[in-house]
Amino acid sequence: MGNLAAAEGRAERAATFYRETTERFPQHATSQFAYFNLAKTLYRDRELDQAMENFYHVVDSRRGTQLEPLAHLYLGRIYFDQGNAKRAKQELSRGLALATVPELLAAGAMTLASAYLIEAKPGAAGSANAILLEHRDAFRDGQFSQEAIFLSALTRFRAAIHPDDQRRRGRELLAAAIRVEPSQFFGDFGYLLLGDAFADMNLTDDAVNWYSQGVEQPLAEPMRHRVMFRLAQEY
């Protein structure tokens, strides 16, 4: 019933059903899936503190199952959306270390690489590229293959030093950037990352377009503020 309500967009009803399940059958395996689904519902509803509480419950109670790495990845996603890059990278790294399913490996690697690129500290492009290379098999013909190509192109562009190399890498980045959609990333950061990529290429109109679209989305407040700040910088 909870999954049906969630599929129909009735988030409040779904959350109520999931809570009732966890209260009535706290030790049953079904309850653990209810905790996870409740956490996802709360995340989509931007109840981030409650979502994190339930994801941490899943981590503690479902060790050794595929729910454990998935919960870590969602926790990393939330910390990322909240602007806490350090904690985001910790949770994403834990999820990657535990994951065995290609889809989880791809989602974790993509989000962890993105965290480094958005943070943009010295050496960030190299760290992001190393993560993508380590998990490249998970991206082959998978859900996030185009996003991985874009991220790889961005790391190479930012690492380029010689003008001829920068121009070549810029053409590769542009070709990759126009093939991805912000909503396809595992989190709220797609608009920011695409805007940053176009800003790096000095394509101001395109950067402004992606930042402006991002501001119109229901982003978590720290991420929204970051996108708004980047937008203001481009005007």
Side-chain angles (χ1 to χ4, degrees):
M1 292 295 292
N3 292 345
L4 178 61
E8 293 174 347
R10 295 182 293 141
E12 186 174 346
R13 178 69 188 97
T16 298
F17 182 85
Y18 293 139
R19 284 194 180 94
E20 289 175 352
T21 301
T22 61
E23 291 169 359
R24 292 178 62 188
F25 311 103
Q27 304 303 322
H28 196 277
T30 303
S31 184
Q32 306 313 312
F33 286 97
Y35 274 110
F36 181 76
N37 288 327
L38 174 59
K40 289 201 301 181
T41 302
L42 292 167
Y43 173 76
R44 286 193 292 266
D45 225 20
R46 294 300 181 228
E47 300 289 343
L48 299 186
D49 289 340
Q50 292 185 51
M52 291 175 71
E53 180 181 340
N54 283 278
F55 279 129
Y56 274 120
H57 177 89
V58 173
V59 166
D60 291 337
S61 62
R62 300 300 292 172
R63 297 192 186 279
T65 73
Q66 280 304 314
L67 279 183
E68 183 185 3
L70 189 52
H72 279 299
L73 295 183
Y74 268 101
L75 285 165
R77 178 175 172 173
I78 293 174
Y79 280 122
F80 195 1
D81 292 345
Q82 290 180 327
N84 191 334
K86 181 178 180 180
R87 291 298 301 275
K89 288 186 286 188
Q90 289 174 345
E91 292 295 339
L92 291 167
S93 296
R94 288 168 184 156
L96 269 174
L98 294 168
T100 57
V101 178
E103 289 80 2
L104 296 187
L105 289 167
M110 177 187 68
T111 310
L112 183 56
S114 298
Y116 277 102
L117 289 169
I118 287 178
E119 199 174 19
K121 288 185 176 180
S127 297
N129 192 52
I131 293 163
L132 295 169
L133 285 173
E134 180 182 354
H135 299 285
R136 60 185 178 275
D137 289 344
F139 290 111
R140 289 177 180 166
D141 301 322
Q143 179 181 356
F144 300 112
S145 57
Q146 288 298 325
E147 289 75 17
I149 292 170
F150 162 68
L151 292 174
S152 294
L154 182 55
T155 64
R156 292 192 297 270
F157 177 78
R158 289 185 175 177
I161 298 175
H162 193 278
D164 288 343
D165 195 25
Q166 289 177 335
R167 284 190 288 271
R168 180 166 63 91
R169 296 305 187 186
R171 290 192 294 270
E172 293 173 356
L173 176 57
L174 179 59
I178 63 177
R179 289 181 170 85
V180 297
E181 288 291 332
S183 60
Q184 297 304 307
F185 287 91
F186 187 68
D188 286 344
F189 56 87
Y191 295 93
L192 178 61
L193 197 57
L194 271 169
D196 286 353
F198 281 103
D200 287 353
M201 293 184 285
N202 293 318
L203 298 175
T204 303
D205 289 345
D206 295 284
V208 167
N209 174 56
W210 286 121
Y211 292 142
S212 298
Q213 288 191 46
V215 169
E216 296 172 358
Q217 306 303 312
L219 307 180
E221 281 306 314
M223 184 63 71
R224 174 181 294 278
H225 290 158
R226 181 176 282 188
V227 174
M228 291 178 67
F229 179 74
R230 294 279 220 283
L231 178 60
Q233 285 182 312
E234 292 301 313
Y235 275 115

